[in-house]
Amino acid sequence: MEQPLKVFIISDSVGETGEHVAKAAISQFRPMLQQVDLRKFAHIDTVEHVKNIVKIAKQQQALIIYTLVRQEMRAYMEQVAAEEQLAAIDVLGPIMHAVQRVTSESPKEEPGLVYQLDDGYFKKIEAIEFAVKYDDGKDPRGILKADIVLIGVSRTSKTPLSQYLAHKKLKVANIPLVPEVEPPEELYMMDPHKCFGLVISKEKLHSIRRERLLALGLRDDASYATDARIEAEIAHFQKVVEQIGCDVIDVTNKAVEETANDILQRRRMR
């Protein structure tokens, strides 16, 4: 399409839910959809606000995604969008109706409840701070305190995976493995079920490291990205994971979310 797709996110809270849903859906159309213009309207709490935004959406022929918890607001949004012949997707309504039907309970219809500062929120913050403190082997003492320990060679997404899992309220430490440095002794003292080794194909790792060197303005033939160096690091990695007896997950061509879900599923099975 020549013009960028315009998407309006309308929420009576901060709009993160609608934004995540929109991005998840749009990602399925890349690279076909190269240009997407996402615009978020947060804290929309009156029908007048809704009416004004729909007028703008009509002018720009925007797709509307809305997360409104009050029934009257959802009904009005549906009505005015239909009058203007605009596509509008209600993200929360169908789910809330289903929960109400199954439980016979009525929703509170209070915006922003999911973001209230409860015990879960503080656990998430604690986990995020833990992941930062014990990132990249900064302090091996975190190994025995962690819920999950990630090990792997450089560029296997240990840090972003640690942060993703931290948002699930899990305390994660990650340790880089290099042949010249003995792994911390705490790795052999911990419960191996808490440890996950991250492995990647030699071809993919070579490509990632080469791009990393070029991004840093360095020559792409440095030893860091050579086949011999990569083979030595992966051999060392295999030796360490065999000694620990931990699970190994192949992260080649895997998104961080996929690897995280794999880890979470293995934890649940145990």
Side-chain angles (χ1 to χ4, degrees):
M1 61 189 296
E2 296 180 2
Q3 297 296 324
L5 171 66
K6 295 182 182 294
V7 181
F8 283 14
I9 314 294
I10 303 175
S11 173
D12 47 21
S13 184
V14 296
E16 286 189 2
T17 301
E19 184 177 11
H20 288 323
V21 170
K23 288 180 177 178
I26 292 167
S27 69
Q28 298 299 316
F29 294 88
R30 292 198 171 105
M32 293 84 77
L33 280 182
Q34 296 292 344
Q35 292 183 298
V36 179
D37 182 7
L38 281 178
R39 187 173 176 186
K40 190 160 62 175
F41 299 85
H43 305 292
I44 303 304
D45 55 5
T46 69
V47 293
E48 193 63 31
H49 284 154
V50 170
K51 184 177 181 180
N52 291 336
I53 295 169
V54 170
K55 284 183 178 179
I56 300 172
K58 177 66 173 179
Q59 294 170 358
Q60 301 187 19
Q61 285 300 298
L63 167 66
I64 296 174
I65 295 175
Y66 58 98
T67 54
L68 302 168
V69 297
R70 288 164 51 197
Q71 170 61 31
E72 62 180 287
M73 292 284 284
R74 293 199 303 273
Y76 185 75
M77 170 63 78
E78 184 179 7
Q79 174 191 328
V80 293
E83 290 173 355
E84 298 292 352
Q85 297 183 322
L86 290 174
I89 297 92
D90 179 6
V91 174
L92 295 182
I95 301 173
M96 292 172 65
H97 287 316
V99 173
Q100 184 174 8
R101 185 173 62 252
V102 171
T103 65
S104 299
E105 296 288 339
S106 298
K108 294 181 178 181
E109 296 192 348
E110 296 178 22
L113 288 181
V114 72
Y115 298 106
Q116 286 189 351
L117 303 187
D118 56 9
D119 184 56
Y121 172 82
F122 290 108
K123 284 182 178 178
K124 181 166 71 172
I125 296 301
E126 183 181 4
I128 293 171
E129 291 176 344
F130 186 97
V132 172
K133 183 176 182 179
Y134 297 109
D135 179 47
D136 205 32
K138 292 176 184 174
D139 186 346
R141 291 176 297 181
I143 293 172
L144 299 180
K145 302 176 185 178
D147 299 314
I148 293 173
V149 177
L150 305 175
I151 61 174
V153 301
S154 174
R155 315 314 295 178
T156 48
S157 300
K158 296 185 296 298
T159 295
L161 182 56
S162 296
Q163 284 295 325
Y164 186 92
L165 290 168
H167 279 79
K168 303 291 184 182
K169 308 183 187 68
L170 292 167
K171 295 179 180 178
V172 185
N174 74 75
I175 307 295
L177 297 181
V178 292
E180 294 80 11
V181 180
E182 281 297 315
E185 60 182 14
E186 287 87 351
L187 275 181
Y188 304 103
M189 298 165 58
M190 66 173 294
D191 179 355
H193 289 148
K194 292 184 177 182
C195 185
F196 294 90
L198 307 180
V199 71
I200 189 171
S201 72
K202 290 182 287 186
E203 295 77 16
K204 183 67 174 179
L205 187 56
H206 178 272
S207 175
I208 292 172
R209 289 189 174 184
R210 183 175 177 275
E211 290 177 8
R212 176 62 174 166
L213 289 171
L214 292 173
L216 294 173
L218 303 173
R219 291 167 56 94
D220 63 357
D221 59 353
S223 62
Y224 175 70
T226 62
D227 290 339
R229 175 64 189 182
I230 288 172
E231 288 175 3
E233 289 190 27
I234 291 179
H236 176 67
F237 164 84
Q238 296 291 356
K239 177 182 176 183
V240 172
V241 296
E242 286 175 9
Q243 291 174 332
I244 296 172
C246 64
D247 282 4
V248 176
I249 298 176
D250 189 340
V251 300
T252 307
N253 298 323
K254 265 189 179 180
V256 168
E257 294 86 351
E258 291 180 270
T259 306
N261 288 335
D262 191 349
I263 290 173
L264 294 173
Q265 184 176 4
R266 295 182 193 220
R267 279 172 54 87
R268 281 193 295 269
M269 290 173 63
R270 288 170 180 155

